[in-house]
Amino acid sequence: MSAQNSATGLRPIAVGPLGPLGPLGSLGGTAQAALGVLSFSFSFPATAWALEGFGPWTVTGLRGVLAALLAGTCLLATGARVPPRSSWPALAAVAVGCAVGFPLLSTLALRLSSTAHSAVVIGLLPLATAAVGALRAGARPPRAFWLAATAGAAVVLAFTVQQSGGAGLTTADLYLFGALLLCAFGYAEGGRLARDLPGWQVIAWGVVAALPVTALTGALALTTEPVHWNWHGLTGLAYLAAVSQFGGFVVWYRGMAAIGVPRASQLQLAQPLLTLCWAVLLLAETLPVAAVPAALGVVGCIVVTQRAGRGKEGAPGRQAGGG
């Protein structure tokens, strides 16, 4: 199957068997991609819940261990073969960016910042991923792409400075921008690797590859961070492990392979706005006045970059990703 890649034009995407989809495999590509976006939109509220019961390092370690156990079970059940050595550097990028870096830095940020604020900043992820994908592929996007990407970054920077009362970037913002950068590299490399492996195996092998780090992190954190057993903490941790770090990627990659990267990425424009809704409904947060306009501004910039990317061969649209 072919899809418009954000950095290399039309290319095949490995679809493979349904893998651990069960009855979800019968859904159409659009429905699966939309389910992936919906799944990822709950990640920040789930992290906020998990932090009610566990420390940030414990959350990062345990969600990685549980996701790796689930992914490893699926790999064994489907008889998946270990990827060739040529795929290991890309899998390492997925592991570092998606299984360790983004979960840790975003969790640290959510200890210091609201879910709504974080959702607006991470709304830049599609732009960052497309830019990284273009640079990695040596593509030359049109000027409109870079202008829109710069405008989107400016909107988020203005929002963060306004939220800090003019004091500049906070520690939470630095964590979020670090998470954004690492995740963009992980998504871009995962998108490149999806040419050769079924998408669900990309994230599955990624979280399995990260298991030594996440297991050590979780073991050490449990001895130093306090644990408060409560339903919010356990529910949030279970969601992060089963959905945010594995299951959501399964339907997202599968849907993206079925309908193509550009159509799937259009659906992902709703993710930051959905997260703002869940911040109000699930966490009873009060949205900053500038949150919705800033999120809409970022969405508008992403739309421009995608249209600009489709205007020239090899220009970026959106790499494989999730949340």
Side-chain angles (χ1 to χ4, degrees), residues 78-98:
T78 57
R81 295 182 178 180
V82 176
R85 285 178 180 259
S86 59
S87 300
W88 291 5
L91 283 176
V94 173
V96 172
C98 302

Side-chain angles (χ1 to χ4, degrees), residues 2 15 43 103 141 169 203 259 261 272 294 311:
S2 294
V15 178
S43 294
L169 298 180
I203 188 60
I259 67 175
V261 177

Side-chain angles (χ1 to χ4, degrees), residues 5 17 33 44 58 70 73 76 83 85 94-96 117 127 162 174 181 197 233 249 271 279 281 311:
N5 177 258
F44 278 4
T58 304
L70 179 60
T73 300
L76 288 174
R85 285 178 180 259
V94 173
V96 172
H117 179 97
L127 290 177
Q162 185 269 337
L174 295 177
L181 182 61
L197 292 176
F249 280 95
Q271 186 172 322
L281 296 176

Side-chain angles (χ1 to χ4, degrees), residues 45-54 59 228-240 281-284:
T47 302
W49 275 9
L51 287 171
E52 294 182 22
F54 307 93
V59 170
H228 305 287
W229 299 103
N230 57 69
W231 285 111
H232 270 186
L234 292 172
T235 301
L237 181 62
Y239 188 90
L240 291 172
L281 296 176
L282 298 178
L283 305 177

Side-chain angles (χ1 to χ4, degrees), residues 49-158:
W49 275 9
L51 287 171
E52 294 182 22
F54 307 93
W57 291 87
T58 304
V59 170
T60 301
L62 292 185
R63 69 182 277 185
V65 170
L66 294 174
L69 292 175
L70 179 60
T73 300
C74 293
L75 290 169
L76 288 174
T78 57
R81 295 182 178 180
V82 176
R85 285 178 180 259
S86 59
S87 300
W88 291 5
L91 283 176
V94 173
V96 172
C98 302
V100 179
F102 182 84
L104 175 60
L105 293 178
S106 62
T107 301
L108 290 172
L110 283 166
R111 290 189 70 200
L112 306 172
S113 179
S114 69
T115 298
H117 179 97
S118 301
V120 173
V121 176
I122 296 299
L124 277 177
L125 186 55
L127 290 177
T129 306
V132 170
L135 293 174
R136 284 284 289 117
R140 302 181 109 182
R143 183 178 301 176
F145 169 84
W146 292 116
L147 289 175
T150 301
V155 168
V156 170
L157 284 173

Side-chain angles (χ1 to χ4, degrees), residues 1-321:
M1 178 174 292
S2 294
Q4 178 70 33
N5 177 258
S6 63
T8 59
L10 283 173
R11 64 166 187 171
I13 290 180
V15 178
L18 292 180
L21 282 178
L24 293 178
S26 62
L27 292 176
T30 300
Q32 291 187 50
L35 183 58
V37 171
L38 180 63
S39 300
F40 293 134
S41 72
F42 284 102
S43 294
F44 278 4
T47 302
W49 275 9
L51 287 171
E52 294 182 22
F54 307 93
W57 291 87
T58 304
V59 170
T60 301
L62 292 185
R63 69 182 277 185
V65 170
L66 294 174
L69 292 175
L70 179 60
T73 300
C74 293
L75 290 169
L76 288 174
T78 57
R81 295 182 178 180
V82 176
R85 285 178 180 259
S86 59
S87 300
W88 291 5
L91 283 176
V94 173
V96 172
C98 302
V100 179
F102 182 84
L104 175 60
L105 293 178
S106 62
T107 301
L108 290 172
L110 283 166
R111 290 189 70 200
L112 306 172
S113 179
S114 69
T115 298
H117 179 97
S118 301
V120 173
V121 176
I122 296 299
L124 277 177
L125 186 55
L127 290 177
T129 306
V132 170
L135 293 174
R136 284 284 289 117
R140 302 181 109 182
R143 183 178 301 176
F145 169 84
W146 292 116
L147 289 175
T150 301
V155 168
V156 170
L157 284 173
F159 172 76
T160 56
V161 171
Q162 185 269 337
Q163 289 296 292
S164 68
L169 298 180
T170 65
T171 301
D173 292 326
L174 295 177
Y175 282 141
L176 289 169
F177 282 117
L180 186 71
L181 182 61
L182 287 175
C183 198
F185 273 98
Y187 281 175
E189 291 304 300
R192 287 160 59 88
L193 192 55
R195 289 176 294 184
D196 307 312
L197 292 176
W200 75 269
Q201 288 190 23
V202 172
I203 188 60
W205 286 115
V207 296
V208 169
L211 181 58
V213 175
T214 54
L216 180 60
T217 300
L220 293 177
L222 283 172
T223 64
T224 58
E225 292 182 334
V227 174
H228 305 287
W229 299 103
N230 57 69
W231 285 111
H232 270 186
L234 292 172
T235 301
L237 181 62
Y239 188 90
L240 291 172
V243 181
S244 299
Q245 199 142 339
F246 180 57
F249 280 95
V250 173
V251 290
W252 169 248
Y253 276 121
R254 182 75 187 180
M256 184 188 67
I259 67 175
V261 177
R263 287 181 60 192
S265 59
Q266 290 289 335
L267 295 173
Q268 200 176 29
L269 297 178
Q271 186 172 322
L273 298 175
L274 286 171
T275 299
L276 292 179
C277 293
W278 310 144
V280 174
L281 296 176
L282 298 178
L283 305 177
E285 288 188 6
T286 300
L287 292 184
V289 175
V292 174
L296 290 173
V298 171
V299 167
C301 292
I302 295 172
V303 171
V304 173
T305 61
Q306 290 179 340
R307 290 180 177 175
R310 289 195 293 271
K312 287 187 179 183
E313 183 180 358
R318 173 74 167 92
Q319 283 274 10

